[in-house]
Amino acid sequence: MADNMTELTRKTLVEIRGLLAARQVAAREAVQACLARIEATEPKVQALLHVDAEGALATAEAMDKIGPDTSKPLWGVPVIVKDVLTTKGLPTTCGSRMLENFVPPFDATAVAKLKDAGAIILAKANMDEFAMGSSTENSAYHPTRNPWDLGRVPGGSSGGSGACVAAGQAFAALGTDTGGSIRLPSSFCGGVGIKPTYGRVSRYGLVAYGSSLDQIGPMTRNVADAAPVLQAISGHDPRDSTSMDLPVPDYLAAVDSADGLKGLRIGMPKEYWGQGLDQEVETLCKQAMDTAKSLGAELVPVSLPHTEYAIATYYIIAMAEASSNLARFDGVRYGFRDKQAASLLDMYKQSRTKGFGDEVQRRIITGTYVLSSGYYDAYYRKAAQVRRLIRQDFEQAYSQCDVICGPACPTVAFPLGDKTADPLQMYLMDIFTISLNLAGLPGLSLPVGLGKDSGMPVGLQILGPAWGEDKILSVARSLEKTIEPLPEPRALA
Amino acid sequence: MKITPEIVAKMASLARLELSEDKVGLFAEQLGDVLAYMDKLGELDTSAVEPLYSPVDKPTPMREDTTVKEFSREDLLAGAPQTDGAFFIVPRIV
């Protein structure tokens, strides 16, 4: 029985949804298989914060009674959601003590859309507190470990989502990406992660960190699995004024019809392929580019000249927005309150001081500083101006190419504790992902192999023009067909 | 500009945080490093560049200005640290 369950969790999302639709597997069986896998792997990876075994089984049983619904493309598929997205009746902590007991009365739109598509929400995934971090070591509860090497980080801030998918605990997860937080853990854990165009997926119910940067996206084990999840969560939502009222392309068709890259112009930014890359990252990403060439693509040299300013720009904007967004946690309406405080001001101060962790406090203070009188123009306005230059770089590059490729991260996953003492070193891990969030464009991380020395996964990033998710999915699927799939993560094998 | 512990303490106070002396010292050092890195932006002449505050470049869709009651009072009070069943309760102000 246990082996049979493990076999089920090895199926891809596309396979399991086929089996569910054909009633060859019951929704209850799929949920039970994932729960058994969670029980077996969670002591090692610690990817989750809350498992709703009872609720998921009850939902599955109710669905089995009625039977598969062909109008629901994810009918019966167990998925896991990053704990920064609100889930009605399920704890939503954002990886913080501040929200330890918070149970929201509503679903985030992306979660509601997943449920509408028939998915079953199985658990909430661990994350860096309020999505602030690149390693999932900043969770107030526990760090998550990389399923390929338990001594290494899974990446962040959606590290729980990346690790749970790689560990086979669910068939897909939702993550959020403010500066690379979907693509970095996907790269480190050997999965596929998509950061959609800003405005493609509603942010309603996403607890805001950097409002002009945050986007929700799918994290899966392969490209074809990402398409139906992205399809389900995309589209206009009147509750989010930044969600665009534009038609959503057929992502499944884009993946199904992917058959080579003939005539495709792939931009190779010199700033992404130069010094500072780990040898094994460079080797595997270059091999993938050779493959692209053999599939008919033309590799075009392009330049994104303001890349070196992206990290400074990003952290000014993100921290400024964070300091404003996190002002709502005041101990009055929800979240932690220090009950010893005698005055209102003292209650605010003590609740926030005791409820927020160090990285969150550090970013709030930095954000307060860059927005403060006398420094606003020097930092925030300046960063917003450089942000435009960064977007113009992409516009210029896309006049010469269809998509852009480069490594998702300069290194493979690093050891736990390696960068926690030096925030700036941690921030520098996001060098290749951050520009895309500033420009609001879509990007995908695709596993291209295991490093020869480290044995750790390496991710190639495929960047597209605005609203070009179908294009990057198609390119990724064409490449994926020629790359040997990764084996099971060895720390869990 | 050097970031002193006094500056960090002032920012903390504005942000409604109360940091220990040790943490103020540590944050001053780290914030100094981070801001020194951010000063890199000064290398660029942006005098003629319009700031980009949001990547949304299309008109924001508007919705009807109608009142919608989605949650009950009970739902909204359920997550509060202290209520009397009708209102949020906070320490006495006056």
Side-chain angles (χ1 to χ4, degrees), chain A residues 251-465:
Chain A
Y251 299 132
L252 283 79
V255 165
D256 288 345
S257 62
D259 64 348
L261 303 174
K262 198 168 168 50
L264 184 86
R265 294 168 304 160
I266 298 181
M268 302 277 286
K270 62 179 182 194
E271 294 80 5
Y272 285 31
W273 293 92
Q275 285 182 334
L277 276 186
D278 266 13
Q279 189 60 51
E280 50 186 8
V281 172
E282 187 177 10
T283 301
L284 285 167
C285 288
K286 278 195 168 155
Q287 273 175 17
M289 289 298 91
D290 289 342
T291 303
K293 216 171 161 184
S294 71
L295 292 172
E298 180 193 352
L299 306 187
V300 183
V302 294
S303 178
L304 300 169
H306 295 95
T307 299
E308 64 174 305
Y309 302 100
I311 289 182
T313 304
Y314 169 81
Y315 278 100
I316 290 171
I317 290 170
M319 291 186 195
E321 293 185 3
S323 71
S324 171
N325 278 323
L326 271 59
R328 74 190 57 170
F329 297 102
D330 55 10
V332 175
R333 290 148 299 152
Y334 38 72
F336 172 77
R337 174 188 291 191
D338 178 39
K339 296 207 166 60
Q340 310 303 318
S343 71
L344 187 67
L345 186 59
D346 199 33
M347 187 201 79
Y348 293 154
K349 283 191 170 180
Q350 295 308 322
S351 302
R352 289 167 60 78
T353 302
K354 292 172 183 168
F356 289 138
D358 282 358
E359 183 60 28
V360 175
Q361 293 187 10
R362 190 160 31 233
R363 294 194 191 198
I364 289 174
I365 286 169
T366 313
T368 306
Y369 181 80
V370 301
L371 287 177
S372 63
S373 173
Y375 297 103
Y376 177 91
D377 281 347
Y379 288 106
Y380 187 65
R381 185 180 155 84
K382 180 83 181 181
Q385 289 170 315
V386 180
R387 183 178 193 176
R388 184 172 298 279
L389 296 177
I390 288 169
R391 188 159 82 168
Q392 285 170 352
D393 285 353
F394 279 103
E395 286 162 0
Q396 172 64 25
Y398 283 125
S399 69
Q400 302 165 61
C401 62
D402 302 301
V403 297
I404 290 172
C405 283
C409 186
T411 70
V412 295
F414 49 88
L416 283 143
D418 210 33
K419 299 184 192 296
T420 42
D422 189 343
L424 188 54
Q425 283 307 308
M426 187 75 89
Y427 302 163
L428 294 173
M429 295 310 292
D430 302 336
I431 179 77
F432 297 139
T433 52
I434 262 172
S435 297
L436 207 71
N437 299 77
L438 291 165
L441 304 176
L444 179 154
S445 180
L446 174 75
V448 289
L450 298 176
K452 195 177 161 199
D453 298 326
S454 66
M456 297 300 293
V458 168
L460 175 80
Q461 201 180 181
I462 303 166
L463 316 180

Side-chain angles (χ1 to χ4, degrees), chain A residues 102-186:
Chain A
F102 180 54
V103 180
F106 69 106
D107 279 325
T109 297
V111 173
K113 285 187 168 215
L114 277 186
K115 287 182 177 175
D116 287 347
I120 297 173
I121 310 297
L122 193 57
K124 302 298 288 290
N126 196 21
M127 56 183 284
D128 284 307
E129 185 174 3
F130 286 104
M132 297 179 186
S134 304
S135 66
T136 312
E137 291 167 290
N138 290 337
S139 166
Y141 299 96
H142 50 73
T144 293
R145 291 165 185 277
N146 192 307
W148 291 87
D149 177 345
L150 301 175
R152 295 184 191 242
V153 302
S157 65
S158 308
S161 299
C164 75
V165 169
Q169 296 180 345
F171 297 94
L174 289 187
T176 63
D177 193 313
T178 306
S181 289
I182 286 175
R183 289 161 286 154
L184 192 70
S186 295

Side-chain angles (χ1 to χ4, degrees), chain A residues 204 236-241, chain B residues 60-66 70:
Chain A
Y204 179 77
H236 177 57
D237 176 12
R239 287 186 168 103
D240 172 7
S241 66
Chain B
T60 305
M62 304 293 275
R63 65 181 180 207
E64 291 300 312
D65 186 17
T66 50
E70 291 188 81

